[in-house]
Amino acid sequence: MRTVLNILNFFLGGFVTTFGWLVATLLSIVFIMTLPLTRSCWEITKLSLLPFGNEAVHVDELNPGKKNVLLNSGGTVLNIVWFIFCGWWLCVTHILVGIAQCITLIGIPTGIAHFKIAAIALWPVGRRVVSVEVAKAAREANARSRYN
């Protein structure tokens, strides 16, 4: 089912958002100041291409023992730079594609996926794209460690 939804997403407009993320990734490589954004851009490019079966998870959820205040502060600064240069237009692109997909009855699940990615497009630094199963296992492990 995931494969069918990923193919449907691509043909109903997902190629537009994936292309936008590829352009943002290339821009982050060209401008030296934004080079640390490249990995986050590439991660979300993969999510935009294959949104079903994958999920964006913050690094702190994957490795809760390795939280670092300095890295979190640097990530916040990078997210602000990202928002100014690329985040807002990628977010708008995902919202427009999501609305266009939701107009068709068959495109509603893919449209909802684009609305989720739109929120991630605003602040992508520190996110990793993992399978749904890995994300669920990380969340369960974090919940167990907090409440035990």
Side-chain angles (χ1 to χ4, degrees):
M1 189 65 176
R2 291 177 183 171
T3 305
V4 172
L5 286 172
N6 282 327
I7 292 170
L8 183 65
N9 171 59
F10 185 79
F11 287 113
L12 288 178
F15 64 91
V16 172
T17 58
T18 302
F19 181 73
W21 278 101
L22 284 173
V23 169
T25 303
L26 292 175
L27 287 175
S28 71
I29 292 170
V30 170
F31 300 115
I32 302 300
M33 183 180 87
T34 58
L35 198 55
L37 296 168
T38 304
R39 179 165 183 187
S40 295
C41 288
W42 183 247
E43 293 282 330
I44 310 302
T45 301
K46 294 187 294 186
L47 183 64
S48 181
L49 181 62
L50 304 169
F52 297 98
N54 295 316
E55 191 172 335
V57 178
H58 199 275
V59 176
D60 291 343
E61 289 183 53
L62 292 174
N63 297 319
K66 294 185 177 182
K67 289 185 179 181
N68 187 336
V69 175
L70 182 63
L71 291 177
N72 284 339
S73 300
T76 302
V77 171
L78 284 173
N79 273 326
I80 291 169
V81 169
W82 170 261
F83 178 79
I84 293 169
F85 290 109
C86 295
W88 65 272
W89 64 266
L90 283 169
C91 179
V92 168
T93 303
H94 278 286
I95 290 171
L96 292 176
V97 168
I99 290 170
Q101 288 178 346
C102 283
I103 289 173
T104 66
L105 185 61
I106 196 167
I108 291 173
T110 57
I112 292 170
H114 280 283
F115 295 141
K116 291 178 184 177
I117 299 171
I120 296 168
L122 292 176
W123 304 100
V125 176
R127 304 274 185 156
R128 298 292 174 261
V129 175
V130 296
S131 68
V132 174
E133 294 80 16
V134 171
K136 181 180 177 185
R139 288 191 182 103
E140 288 174 357
N142 288 338
R144 271 191 229 105
S145 67
R146 281 188 208 145
Y147 298 113
N148 286 334

